[in-house]
Amino acid sequence: MILKENVSEYQPKLIKKIMLTLCWILALFVSGAEVREIYLPGCSHVEPQIWYRAISDEEFVLQCALPDRDATHIYNNSLLKQHQVEWFWHQKGKEPLKAIKGSSNPALQGDALWFKPVRDNASGVYICMIREKIPCLKIVLEVETKKVAKCSGYDTNMLYLLAANGNSITCPGTKCYSHVKKTDVKWYKDGHQIKHRKSRQSLKLKPNEIYLNPTYDRDAGIYVCDYTLYDNTTKWTMRTAVTVEVIEKNTIHPPNFLYPNGVVILEAELGKPLELECRVQFGFERVSLMRVTWKRNNKENINEKLNQETSIYSKGLKGHTLLHVAKLKEVTERDLRSNFTCFAENSVGNATAVIQLKRKQRVFLLYVLCSAISTLFVFLLCTAFIYQHWIEIVLMYRSYLVHNETTGDGKEFDAFVSYAKLDSSESDSTLISEEKFALELLPDILENKYGYKLCILERDILPGGAYTDEVVTAIKQSRRAIIILSPAYVSGPSIFELQAAVNCALEDKRIKLVLIKFQAFQEPETLPPVVKKALRILPVITWKTSVSAAPNKKFWKYMHYHMPVKTTKMLGNCSLKGFFQRLFSLVYR
């Protein structure tokens, strides 16, 4: 019994010792992880290249850039992704090296490190690396208080400049280190160095300040001033920043209502949601006390809270415009009996405007339905008419409203006609009809009716030259090449004319090909690739022997459509009145 009691007393003490030992091991492991030093290969023997001094509790910026006397900027927010910057910090008098990650202070922006503000404990060595650009750069930063830096009459780092007036921006850091010899100040605005420009005569650079007369809205921004001071053998860059805002004089006017103006009656439908808009213009106030609210019957009822939202949609030096909206979930009879007052107030005074709701008369559903059906019917009718007669409409438009495209192009013929030539030994009736189409029917319609000038090799070109040269010359002198396709054409020597026409069209964009499928045919395997491609992609007009011969048939309208736009004898004296007469003739035909 005594043994059992001793064992039971010993067990809790043993467990307690084991747990304590485990906690110590875990604490040592965690603390070891915290103090583990970051090792940067290639950086251990690199000496610091830049030395900066800063005043504590002020805004400060460090750029990851090698020293350059001719540098024109001190930070770049548009750094490319492949050149990511890595920052490390060795705090003065402390170990180990720490990585600087994304935080609010200091903040990583582009290739720079921003301190907003910089604290006393920020002193130390900063190391930065940019992939493929800077392997290791060490920067020394020493932060001192105004007292240690012997600053007297230190100027503010936040300036409000009155627009259109003369103003000056003084470098705050020049009030410090009065016992040390300093160089002239170098100024930067929004990262870029400020230099005197002929285009901006109103900006003047003085030894320690910038003078602006007049001051513009675009002069607002962050100004950074640098100067060099020597402390023993060390060359320090003293850097301070000034934030500038450009303001106007405070307004002397109360708010101005853009909408509603006075009393406005607004139609509303019972049971439907409604938004009441109030647009108010406020003049500039440096310390703004503006307020906008909606009231029912000019009273603020604590038990009833209207759903209200405010947004600024126009802001500038002269002031800004507020849009204040009250949302009614559904309009009730009580809303129709109420006056909704928009109340606006600033430091000068206040103003009001009123919206009264009026019951909206319901629109008859049958009237809306009939109107919609009628509109749809007219739309479908017009679509069907245009689809049916689109070629005639295009031709009429070209005849009356489009200028003559053949004027001054230097070409002699409107179209070159290519067809299968009939040898004296051949007597196939199809070839005879094809030749008759090319030599008689085609010129009769296109030349006599529409006033075009065709080039038919046997008729218009004097014999004696080389056949190939004559064909190429005739095509180049024509605006179109009409190719009459048939089995005899694609398998005979005339196919050369098609190939020549394709080549000429590729050289001269004004030459276009018009393919007529006179008879069904199969493409021979021996056709040149350029001809095969032309037959596949170019538009083709099909000739139907029993239907297409009449002059008023669709075939000839398509031919006219593909021919050049020109003023013919038939259309020489047309007017707008004639255009509408022809259009109405299509409708009642």
PDB file of all heavy atoms in Angstrom, residues 379-391:
ATOM      1  N   PHE A 379     -40.105  46.367 -89.696  1.00  0.00           N
ATOM      2  CA  PHE A 379     -38.692  46.017 -89.763  1.00  0.00           C
ATOM      3  C   PHE A 379     -38.471  44.773 -90.616  1.00  0.00           C
ATOM      4  O   PHE A 379     -37.567  44.729 -91.463  1.00  0.00           O
ATOM      5  CB  PHE A 379     -38.157  45.788 -88.343  1.00  0.00           C
ATOM      6  CG  PHE A 379     -36.756  45.286 -88.299  1.00  0.00           C
ATOM      7  CD1 PHE A 379     -35.686  46.136 -88.532  1.00  0.00           C
ATOM      8  CD2 PHE A 379     -36.485  43.942 -88.053  1.00  0.00           C
ATOM      9  CE1 PHE A 379     -34.377  45.667 -88.507  1.00  0.00           C
ATOM     10  CE2 PHE A 379     -35.190  43.466 -88.030  1.00  0.00           C
ATOM     11  CZ  PHE A 379     -34.141  44.318 -88.258  1.00  0.00           C
ATOM     12  N   LEU A 380     -39.305  43.737 -90.409  1.00  0.00           N
ATOM     13  CA  LEU A 380     -39.160  42.504 -91.191  1.00  0.00           C
ATOM     14  C   LEU A 380     -39.471  42.750 -92.663  1.00  0.00           C
ATOM     15  O   LEU A 380     -38.829  42.182 -93.554  1.00  0.00           O
ATOM     16  CB  LEU A 380     -40.086  41.426 -90.619  1.00  0.00           C
ATOM     17  CG  LEU A 380     -39.726  40.898 -89.222  1.00  0.00           C
ATOM     18  CD1 LEU A 380     -40.796  39.935 -88.713  1.00  0.00           C
ATOM     19  CD2 LEU A 380     -38.372  40.216 -89.241  1.00  0.00           C
ATOM     20  N   LEU A 381     -40.476  43.621 -92.924  1.00  0.00           N
ATOM     21  CA  LEU A 381     -40.839  43.933 -94.304  1.00  0.00           C
ATOM     22  C   LEU A 381     -39.691  44.646 -95.017  1.00  0.00           C
ATOM     23  O   LEU A 381     -39.343  44.306 -96.163  1.00  0.00           O
ATOM     24  CB  LEU A 381     -42.098  44.812 -94.303  1.00  0.00           C
ATOM     25  CG  LEU A 381     -42.850  44.938 -95.639  1.00  0.00           C
ATOM     26  CD1 LEU A 381     -43.429  43.592 -96.063  1.00  0.00           C
ATOM     27  CD2 LEU A 381     -43.973  45.961 -95.510  1.00  0.00           C
ATOM     28  N   CYS A 382     -39.081  45.599 -94.328  1.00  0.00           N
ATOM     29  CA  CYS A 382     -37.954  46.322 -94.917  1.00  0.00           C
ATOM     30  C   CYS A 382     -36.760  45.394 -95.154  1.00  0.00           C
ATOM     31  O   CYS A 382     -36.085  45.476 -96.177  1.00  0.00           O
ATOM     32  CB  CYS A 382     -37.536  47.478 -94.008  1.00  0.00           C
ATOM     33  SG  CYS A 382     -38.754  48.809 -93.915  1.00  0.00           S
ATOM     34  N   THR A 383     -36.533  44.487 -94.176  1.00  0.00           N
ATOM     35  CA  THR A 383     -35.425  43.541 -94.312  1.00  0.00           C
ATOM     36  C   THR A 383     -35.633  42.627 -95.518  1.00  0.00           C
ATOM     37  O   THR A 383     -34.710  42.374 -96.294  1.00  0.00           O
ATOM     38  CB  THR A 383     -35.291  42.700 -93.025  1.00  0.00           C
ATOM     39  OG1 THR A 383     -35.125  43.578 -91.909  1.00  0.00           O
ATOM     40  CG2 THR A 383     -34.102  41.764 -93.114  1.00  0.00           C
ATOM     41  N   ALA A 384     -36.875  42.122 -95.670  1.00  0.00           N
ATOM     42  CA  ALA A 384     -37.176  41.242 -96.801  1.00  0.00           C
ATOM     43  C   ALA A 384     -37.041  41.973 -98.137  1.00  0.00           C
ATOM     44  O   ALA A 384     -36.528  41.434 -99.123  1.00  0.00           O
ATOM     45  CB  ALA A 384     -38.587  40.680 -96.661  1.00  0.00           C
ATOM     46  N   PHE A 385     -37.478  43.249 -98.173  1.00  0.00           N
ATOM     47  CA  PHE A 385     -37.382  44.036 -99.404  1.00  0.00           C
ATOM     48  C   PHE A 385     -35.921  44.267 -99.786  1.00  0.00           C
ATOM     49  O   PHE A 385     -35.529  44.118-100.948  1.00  0.00           O
ATOM     50  CB  PHE A 385     -38.112  45.370 -99.207  1.00  0.00           C
ATOM     51  CG  PHE A 385     -37.945  46.325-100.351  1.00  0.00           C
ATOM     52  CD1 PHE A 385     -38.693  46.197-101.509  1.00  0.00           C
ATOM     53  CD2 PHE A 385     -37.019  47.358-100.291  1.00  0.00           C
ATOM     54  CE1 PHE A 385     -38.533  47.066-102.572  1.00  0.00           C
ATOM     55  CE2 PHE A 385     -36.850  48.221-101.340  1.00  0.00           C
ATOM     56  CZ  PHE A 385     -37.604  48.089-102.476  1.00  0.00           C
ATOM     57  N   ILE A 386     -35.091  44.634 -98.761  1.00  0.00           N
ATOM     58  CA  ILE A 386     -33.672  44.886 -99.033  1.00  0.00           C
ATOM     59  C   ILE A 386     -32.982  43.607 -99.490  1.00  0.00           C
ATOM     60  O   ILE A 386     -32.147  43.612-100.406  1.00  0.00           O
ATOM     61  CB  ILE A 386     -32.988  45.472 -97.774  1.00  0.00           C
ATOM     62  CG1 ILE A 386     -33.544  46.869 -97.500  1.00  0.00           C
ATOM     63  CG2 ILE A 386     -31.473  45.520 -97.930  1.00  0.00           C
ATOM     64  CD1 ILE A 386     -33.111  47.457 -96.181  1.00  0.00           C
ATOM     65  N   TYR A 387     -33.338  42.470 -98.850  1.00  0.00           N
ATOM     66  CA  TYR A 387     -32.738  41.192 -99.239  1.00  0.00           C
ATOM     67  C   TYR A 387     -33.097  40.816-100.674  1.00  0.00           C
ATOM     68  O   TYR A 387     -32.280  40.291-101.428  1.00  0.00           O
ATOM     69  CB  TYR A 387     -33.202  40.108 -98.273  1.00  0.00           C
ATOM     70  CG  TYR A 387     -32.675  38.733 -98.596  1.00  0.00           C
ATOM     71  CD1 TYR A 387     -31.381  38.370 -98.248  1.00  0.00           C
ATOM     72  CD2 TYR A 387     -33.463  37.800 -99.287  1.00  0.00           C
ATOM     73  CE1 TYR A 387     -30.873  37.113 -98.565  1.00  0.00           C
ATOM     74  CE2 TYR A 387     -32.973  36.553 -99.599  1.00  0.00           C
ATOM     75  CZ  TYR A 387     -31.684  36.210 -99.234  1.00  0.00           C
ATOM     76  OH  TYR A 387     -31.203  34.967 -99.548  1.00  0.00           O
ATOM     77  N   GLN A 388     -34.362  41.106-101.063  1.00  0.00           N
ATOM     78  CA  GLN A 388     -34.832  40.733-102.386  1.00  0.00           C
ATOM     79  C   GLN A 388     -34.242  41.631-103.474  1.00  0.00           C
ATOM     80  O   GLN A 388     -33.927  41.162-104.573  1.00  0.00           O
ATOM     81  CB  GLN A 388     -36.373  40.826-102.414  1.00  0.00           C
ATOM     82  CG  GLN A 388     -37.009  40.413-103.735  1.00  0.00           C
ATOM     83  CD  GLN A 388     -36.892  38.921-103.979  1.00  0.00           C
ATOM     84  OE1 GLN A 388     -36.729  38.153-103.033  1.00  0.00           O
ATOM     85  NE2 GLN A 388     -36.963  38.500-105.231  1.00  0.00           N
ATOM     86  N   HIS A 389     -34.065  42.910-103.166  1.00  0.00           N
ATOM     87  CA  HIS A 389     -33.669  43.872-104.200  1.00  0.00           C
ATOM     88  C   HIS A 389     -32.355  44.574-103.876  1.00  0.00           C
ATOM     89  O   HIS A 389     -32.125  45.709-104.312  1.00  0.00           O
ATOM     90  CB  HIS A 389     -34.764  44.938-104.376  1.00  0.00           C
ATOM     91  CG  HIS A 389     -36.085  44.385-104.798  1.00  0.00           C
ATOM     92  ND1 HIS A 389     -36.348  43.947-106.074  1.00  0.00           N
ATOM     93  CD2 HIS A 389     -37.226  44.175-104.092  1.00  0.00           C
ATOM     94  CE1 HIS A 389     -37.600  43.509-106.141  1.00  0.00           C
ATOM     95  NE2 HIS A 389     -38.155  43.627-104.951  1.00  0.00           N
ATOM     96  N   TRP A 390     -31.470  43.926-103.100  1.00  0.00           N
ATOM     97  CA  TRP A 390     -30.256  44.619-102.667  1.00  0.00           C
ATOM     98  C   TRP A 390     -29.354  45.016-103.835  1.00  0.00           C
ATOM     99  O   TRP A 390     -28.745  46.073-103.819  1.00  0.00           O
ATOM    100  CB  TRP A 390     -29.481  43.755-101.657  1.00  0.00           C
ATOM    101  CG  TRP A 390     -28.782  42.573-102.273  1.00  0.00           C
ATOM    102  CD1 TRP A 390     -29.281  41.347-102.462  1.00  0.00           C
ATOM    103  CD2 TRP A 390     -27.436  42.560-102.774  1.00  0.00           C
ATOM    104  NE1 TRP A 390     -28.356  40.527-103.058  1.00  0.00           N
ATOM    105  CE2 TRP A 390     -27.208  41.257-103.255  1.00  0.00           C
ATOM    106  CE3 TRP A 390     -26.417  43.501-102.864  1.00  0.00           C
ATOM    107  CZ2 TRP A 390     -25.992  40.878-103.819  1.00  0.00           C
ATOM    108  CZ3 TRP A 390     -25.203  43.124-103.421  1.00  0.00           C
ATOM    109  CH2 TRP A 390     -25.000  41.823-103.895  1.00  0.00           C
ATOM    110  N   ILE A 391     -29.326  44.193-104.885  1.00  0.00           N
ATOM    111  CA  ILE A 391     -28.448  44.497-106.018  1.00  0.00           C
ATOM    112  C   ILE A 391     -28.934  45.732-106.767  1.00  0.00           C
ATOM    113  O   ILE A 391     -28.150  46.599-107.159  1.00  0.00           O
ATOM    114  CB  ILE A 391     -28.329  43.268-106.957  1.00  0.00           C
ATOM    115  CG1 ILE A 391     -27.200  43.485-107.962  1.00  0.00           C
ATOM    116  CG2 ILE A 391     -29.623  42.965-107.664  1.00  0.00           C
ATOM    117  CD1 ILE A 391     -25.844  43.371-107.350  1.00  0.00           C
TER     118      ILE A 391
END
